[in-house]
Amino acid sequence: MAKPFASSADMTEKKETLEVLADGVYALTAEGDPNVGAVEGEDFIVCIEARATPAAARDWLAQLRQHTQKPVRYLVLTHYHAVRVLGASAFDAQDIIMSDATAALVEERGEQDWASEFGRMPRLFKQPEEIPGLTRPTITFADHHVIELGGDRGRLELQFCGRGHTEGDIAVWHEKSGTLFAGDLVEAQAALYTGDAFHFDWASDTLDRVKAFQAEHLVGGRGAVANGRAQVDAAVEQTREFLNGMIEHVGAAHKRGGTLKDAFEATHAALAPKFGHWPIFEHCLPFNVQRLWDEFDGIERPRIWTMERDREVWDQLQG
């Protein structure tokens, strides 16, 4: 019997947990659904990630408003994927911040990604009719941007750490509390999505730069918050292990002249015992293997995912 497409059959609501990591530093996790966060400035808030729709974003803001009534001055988006950005209008932020590379990706493939992710993960798109259109930034930067929080609240450093989950991922660092919002560059016991990734960069220099922050709290893209250096380092190295496992097994199939299906089956067999119980493992792996296979074929930049291409790859590998 064929597996249901991606996460289309996953309609179970996840339990949300709001954690106060330090004074004015917040993270909302949801059992493997996309994480969001916020940091208070002296008289404003910086929100990190936007969720898939304005309605979903309002649910998060309602929880945040139990702790602070400050206005949202900045909305920081770590990368371009639809489930991270399309809820932006709910925040009424004065500025929306992305990396230059992410802003370019929104223009290049934002519409296709929106349709693709809606098809893959419909449950996350609460009241999708409210989405006003693509989310575009008002501030962009190449490698590094600083937000001064005012008073004694320190600063946020927005840092491009190298190509990884996408071409333009940034991390958000609050040195005062030792908190790193890593976006989907790190997942804490949640499967990686690598369909738009640069596997070799990500598994090496990019994760090295993320680890070099020496964070005390790490909020990944999905999964629980990692607290304490041991948990933080473990989350980074679990991410690296997942990537290296894919590289090893897809690479071996490619080198011996196997097929894409051979690569998928070998990778699934190797990774499932350790990672198969993690959220969205079955959903992600076909798209991950296809992208990595393309890299071994010498295709430098990820091909654009469309609804049609999603189904074609799924049917070929998970059908």
Side-chain angles (χ1 to χ4, degrees), residues 100-233:
D100 292 342
T102 292
L105 289 165
V106 169
E107 300 304 328
E108 179 188 48
R109 57 187 67 196
E111 289 283 357
Q112 296 96 324
D113 182 72
W114 178 352
S116 171
E117 295 212 349
F118 182 75
R120 293 182 188 183
M121 295 174 281
R123 178 176 53 78
L124 299 182
F125 286 80
K126 181 179 181 180
Q127 297 171 223
E129 68 279 0
E130 292 185 5
I131 301 170
L134 293 176
T135 298
R136 294 180 168 90
T138 59
I139 296 172
T140 68
F141 63 95
D143 297 307
H144 188 251
H145 183 80
V146 173
I147 299 173
E148 297 291 348
L149 296 173
D152 63 353
R153 293 192 173 271
R155 53 167 39 186
L156 288 180
E157 295 184 60
L158 283 50
Q159 183 66 50
F160 174 69
C161 296
R163 300 185 305 182
H165 173 70
T166 72
E167 200 167 5
D169 303 90
I170 60 171
V172 182
W173 172 235
H174 186 235
E175 184 177 16
K176 182 176 174 62
S177 66
T179 303
L180 183 69
F181 295 88
D184 281 317
L185 288 172
V186 178
E187 311 289 13
Q189 297 190 22
L192 276 61
Y193 173 66
T194 72
D196 299 300
F198 296 79
H199 292 79
F200 304 103
D201 291 7
W202 188 1
S204 54
D205 292 348
T206 300
L207 281 180
D208 288 347
R209 294 187 187 106
V210 171
K211 196 172 183 180
F213 283 101
Q214 298 186 337
E216 289 294 331
H217 311 283
L218 186 147
V219 184
R222 294 174 182 260
V225 176
N227 291 303
R229 286 291 304 284
Q231 284 190 20
V232 169
D233 287 351

Side-chain angles (χ1 to χ4, degrees), residues 23-302:
D23 180 29
V25 181
Y26 308 96
L28 187 75
T29 63
E31 297 183 319
D33 275 1
N35 296 335
V36 291
V39 179
E40 287 189 49
E42 186 175 25
D43 54 10
F44 61 87
I45 303 169
V46 181
C47 284
I48 302 155
E49 313 290 32
R51 290 189 150 181
T53 67
R58 288 195 298 270
D59 290 344
W60 148 231
L61 287 167
Q63 296 189 58
L64 182 62
R65 289 305 179 205
Q66 296 176 22
H67 297 268
T68 176
Q69 294 298 317
K70 295 173 184 176
V72 178
R73 174 70 176 84
Y74 300 101
L75 174 62
V76 178
L77 302 173
T78 65
H79 61 287
Y80 76 96
H81 285 150
V83 296
R84 305 292 183 181
V85 304
L86 292 180
S89 62
F91 292 81
D92 292 324
Q94 292 183 47
D95 283 296
I96 297 172
I97 306 178
M98 300 176 181
S99 69
D100 292 342
T102 292
L105 289 165
V106 169
E107 300 304 328
E108 179 188 48
R109 57 187 67 196
E111 289 283 357
Q112 296 96 324
D113 182 72
W114 178 352
S116 171
E117 295 212 349
F118 182 75
R120 293 182 188 183
M121 295 174 281
R123 178 176 53 78
L124 299 182
F125 286 80
K126 181 179 181 180
Q127 297 171 223
E129 68 279 0
E130 292 185 5
I131 301 170
L134 293 176
T135 298
R136 294 180 168 90
T138 59
I139 296 172
T140 68
F141 63 95
D143 297 307
H144 188 251
H145 183 80
V146 173
I147 299 173
E148 297 291 348
L149 296 173
D152 63 353
R153 293 192 173 271
R155 53 167 39 186
L156 288 180
E157 295 184 60
L158 283 50
Q159 183 66 50
F160 174 69
C161 296
R163 300 185 305 182
H165 173 70
T166 72
E167 200 167 5
D169 303 90
I170 60 171
V172 182
W173 172 235
H174 186 235
E175 184 177 16
K176 182 176 174 62
S177 66
T179 303
L180 183 69
F181 295 88
D184 281 317
L185 288 172
V186 178
E187 311 289 13
Q189 297 190 22
L192 276 61
Y193 173 66
T194 72
D196 299 300
F198 296 79
H199 292 79
F200 304 103
D201 291 7
W202 188 1
S204 54
D205 292 348
T206 300
L207 281 180
D208 288 347
R209 294 187 187 106
V210 171
K211 196 172 183 180
F213 283 101
Q214 298 186 337
E216 289 294 331
H217 311 283
L218 186 147
V219 184
R222 294 174 182 260
V225 176
N227 291 303
R229 286 291 304 284
Q231 284 190 20
V232 169
D233 287 351
V236 172
E237 293 309 321
Q238 286 168 358
T239 300
R240 197 192 311 268
E241 182 181 357
F242 193 107
L243 290 166
N244 283 334
M246 287 184 56
I247 290 168
E248 176 186 353
H249 295 284
V250 174
H254 192 274
K255 185 176 181 179
R256 67 174 178 263
T259 65
L260 180 66
K261 180 76 167 178
D262 294 334
F264 173 77
E265 290 177 348
T267 304
H268 190 286
L271 269 58
K274 181 165 185 177
F275 305 114
H277 65 287
W278 285 7
I280 67 172
F281 175 83
E282 295 291 345
H283 166 164
C284 293
L285 200 63
F287 309 117
N288 296 357
V289 169
Q290 176 67 75
R291 167 55 188 157
L292 182 51
W293 186 268
D294 284 353
E295 284 194 278
F296 278 111
D297 273 346
I299 299 173
E300 173 69 9
R301 298 188 68 238

